[in-house]
Amino acid sequence: MDEELIRTTPPLPVTSVTLGRLWAIVETSESMGLAAMAHPLSDASHQTEAVTPQSMIGMPLNEVAEGLREPAGIRRTIACAAVNAGIVPPPDAAPGDGLLSDDLRPGQRTVIVGRFPALQTKRPDAIVLEMSPGPEDLPADAAPHVIPGARELLITASAWCNGTLSGLLRLARNVPVTLIGPGTPLTPALHAYGVRKLAGFRVGDRDAVRSAIASGGGVKAFKEFGDQILLSAD
């Protein structure tokens, strides 16, 4: 999957790279791509020593995207943002955050990787897996025990950035998958890898999003400056 995303990323020149505490941005003159930091930047400052955002200005997006070959780390995160900067979401994409139930019947199991806001109202009975589990979550290493046989699987796009998505998709054979979050690559190419729905973010006000992220803000700080959209394989 990563190799295909590298191959299909256009060679548009990078005009800006922004590293916030929680999110990274890669921009061209025509677009902006986002990706979640695997760890808050203040906790991974040692990783930034070998990464100089200014040195990437003028590089083709597809060369920056080659950082997807890294298993994890800030280079991979920037590569994810570069891939997203090279994707043009369809203008007629449906609105949606991907969290609403899709004809789920009683007794069927939904598994969610990552605790999203409003889960208690939108998916109150879901099994939630977290790398740092809260009192209502299961640890991430429980995935092999709960994902196979699930009715559906919802995955935070952060799993793509931190290199764990491929392993989750292998566990989810024959399980419909939705990838969710502003870092979701909104390309139909992912449907071939078992991702049925892509719930991502279309940036509206680039200046406002950049300012919010550069100031250390998370999704709550920038979501009003764009639209949540949903692509489906159906």
Side-chain angles (χ1 to χ4, degrees):
M1 181 178 74
D2 285 345
E3 288 298 324
E4 180 171 357
L5 291 172
I6 294 170
R7 180 178 57 80
T8 57
T9 298
L12 298 171
V14 172
T15 59
S16 175
V17 177
T18 303
L19 301 180
R21 191 177 76 86
L22 300 174
W23 288 84
I25 305 172
V26 172
E27 297 182 65
T28 72
S29 61
E30 305 170 9
S31 62
M32 170 182 278
L34 311 182
M37 293 288 188
H39 303 284
L41 190 57
S42 60
D43 295 340
S45 57
H46 63 283
Q47 296 183 12
T48 68
E49 295 176 2
V51 177
T52 306
Q54 194 65 27
S55 69
M56 298 180 181
I57 306 304
M59 288 179 62
L61 277 181
N62 55 339
E63 288 188 16
V64 179
E66 291 176 0
L68 285 181
R69 294 178 179 136
E70 299 285 339
I74 197 163
R75 288 186 182 276
R76 181 179 175 89
T77 298
I78 294 172
C80 290
V83 168
N84 285 333
I87 296 171
V88 179
D92 59 347
D97 63 6
L99 290 174
L100 294 178
S101 178
D102 184 15
D103 191 31
L104 193 67
R105 299 179 180 84
Q108 294 180 322
R109 185 168 73 251
T110 293
V111 178
I112 302 178
V113 177
R115 178 158 285 282
F116 297 94
L119 280 186
Q120 289 185 333
T121 55
K122 293 185 177 181
R123 297 297 183 110
D125 299 323
I127 296 171
V128 179
L129 302 175
E130 264 286 0
M131 296 186 76
S132 299
E136 299 180 355
D137 306 329
L138 291 180
D141 58 11
H145 305 290
V146 297
I147 290 177
R151 170 62 179 81
E152 57 182 337
L153 173 64
L154 281 58
I155 305 175
T156 171
S158 300
W160 176 49
C161 298
N162 66 28
T164 60
L165 178 60
S166 294
L168 293 168
L169 292 178
R170 284 193 292 270
L171 291 172
R173 290 176 181 172
N174 302 317
V175 178
V177 174
T178 300
L179 195 61
I180 297 176
T184 296
L186 291 167
T187 168
L190 294 193
H191 296 324
Y193 297 90
V195 183
R196 179 182 170 194
K197 294 183 179 181
L198 300 160
F201 184 72
R202 181 166 51 205
V203 174
D205 187 334
R206 286 173 59 170
D207 290 341
V209 170
R210 187 187 311 109
S211 177
I213 287 176
S215 298
V219 177
K220 187 176 180 180
F222 65 77
K223 68 178 182 180
E224 66 180 291
F225 303 119
D227 303 300
Q228 292 177 305
I229 58 176
L230 186 65
L231 304 185
S232 177
D234 297 341

